[in-house]
Amino acid sequence: MTNLLEINNLTIKDETGTKLIDHINFSLKASKVNVLVGESGSGKSLTAKALVQQLPNNLVMTYDELNYENKKLSNIHSLLGKEIGFISQDYTHSFNEHMKLGKQLIAIYRQHYKTDKAKAKKIVIQALEWVDLAPNQTMNSYRFSLSGGQLARVQIASVLMLNPKLIIADEPTASLDVITGANIMNLIKHLAEVHKVTLLLITHNLSHVLNFSDWIHVIQKGKLVDSNHVQAFKNHEIAPYSLKLFNSRSQLKEGEIMINLNNLNFKYRETPVLKNINLTIQPDEIVGIVGESGSGKTTLAQIMLGLLPVSQTQYTNCNLKLLPIFQHAYDSFNPKFKMSTSLEEPIKYHQETNSNEVHQRMHTLMQQMHLDEKLLDSFPDQLSGGQLQRFNTIRTLMLAPDMLICDEITASLDVIAEQSMIDVLKRYYTDTHKGMLLISHDLAFLNQIVERLIVMKNGEIVDDFNIKFLFDKQRHEYTKQLLAIY
């Protein structure tokens, strides 16, 4: 089995000399799906960025040798685009918010292939169809008008349309619903097989790992601890840490009203987003909402939080304190503030809380989420996506809201960090008996924590049931379709 890309003795240090990546020897099997897995903060994304030499300025990378197609390289920048495509985790900032997406995609294609606009447009349309997006509508849209999952697919299309030999994908389906995510992964794997494209997938979704990979690399605290064919992982012929990682996967198993939504309808630019929503939630309920990207889940949460205006006849919440944990942890923090400052800030705006109690809860939560106190002195861009999301969660939980509204809070977490998050939320509920609304496309995650599940499709609630009836034959056909993914 030949290697397309090899890097020997890769080491990455920060400005203090601390090793973040420690003498890794890493190779990608040609025309295969290679996967790099590990916990949040283990160095997965750093390794991927190092391969394309896109590390932050405060990090220093050294290596003995870098080979591509059996040729030594000193600089890989010239290969980016046509030869090597990079799908980043932070798709939100991959596009200019002031320019229509179609214009941006055409410009990207013409930057790498010298052709006229008409031909470039045809290629862009084809690429958008590959990722199940309506080409005309998408090309005429701005970044902010698409859902997170839709925007992620646009970024994937922008890479696929250039037909590279190697695609490095850093958590490409983290914010996609399970159906879209599975379709995207099937598409990428199909391209890898038919067009002999080599893929490096960085992910914490271990279902993707076993279903789509040919070769798996496991990284722990900056060191490569395992590298083997997927069959070895299926047979459990792997290192102890790898076994622990894969055994942590989520598995599916068969009074007063706090929230009241009455015949709620909501439009965005005359396009219906929510249709005839009728929903009540009790103060001590743990409710999950699941559905595809664009189904209206996040819009519904924004209305509950008062971020989108609706009439009082359509929505009431008893004037209780509802606080969110948002999906995009990086956008939730001021990049110029250290984490300690960001965690102190909300205390100033919630003066009814006891600051000493809040600080105590903060430190307890950090211990529960396995976050070192030293990280409080870090800026957001110095932390991994998983670490940021845990801080994002702590900042809300320490204020003890009457109800917690969580929007895709595990999308950037590896399975071990996800399990830790589940344990923290369960402990929070046991201690407070305060309600939670969890929005996710991950049924396995929701099945571990919620008591009640609401299924949304195209802006409507199509199913609403106690989680113990998840596998009931009377479930809506769309619910059954979601279950089939698992």
Side-chain angles (χ1 to χ4, degrees), residues 326-345:
F326 288 121
Q327 175 181 358
H328 302 298
Y330 186 83
D331 290 339
S332 299
F333 291 98
N334 189 321
K336 297 180 181 179
F337 286 176
K338 290 184 177 181
M339 300 312 298
S340 57
T341 303
S342 291
L343 291 179
E344 290 283 348
E345 190 178 27

Side-chain angles (χ1 to χ4, degrees), residues 346-394:
I347 300 175
K348 300 175 185 177
Y349 297 96
H350 293 269
Q351 296 179 358
E352 74 278 6
T353 60
N354 183 306
S355 62
N356 290 330
E357 290 180 3
V358 171
H359 280 97
Q360 182 57 47
R361 281 197 295 268
M362 179 185 76
H363 292 293
T364 300
L365 287 164
M366 285 188 66
Q367 291 176 0
Q368 292 173 358
M369 294 198 186
H370 309 292
L371 291 170
D372 196 307
E373 296 276 343
K374 295 178 182 178
L375 295 177
L376 288 170
D377 203 38
S378 302
F379 291 95
D381 60 1
Q382 295 174 317
L383 301 178
S384 71
Q387 289 171 328
L388 271 179
Q389 186 58 291
R390 281 177 275 173
F391 272 117
N392 195 27
T393 302
I394 288 169

Side-chain angles (χ1 to χ4, degrees), residues 158-175:
S158 72
V159 172
L160 293 178
M161 70 181 183
L162 299 178
N163 196 29
K165 292 181 181 178
L166 168 63
I167 296 175
I168 300 176
D170 186 5
E171 301 282 7
T173 63
S175 298

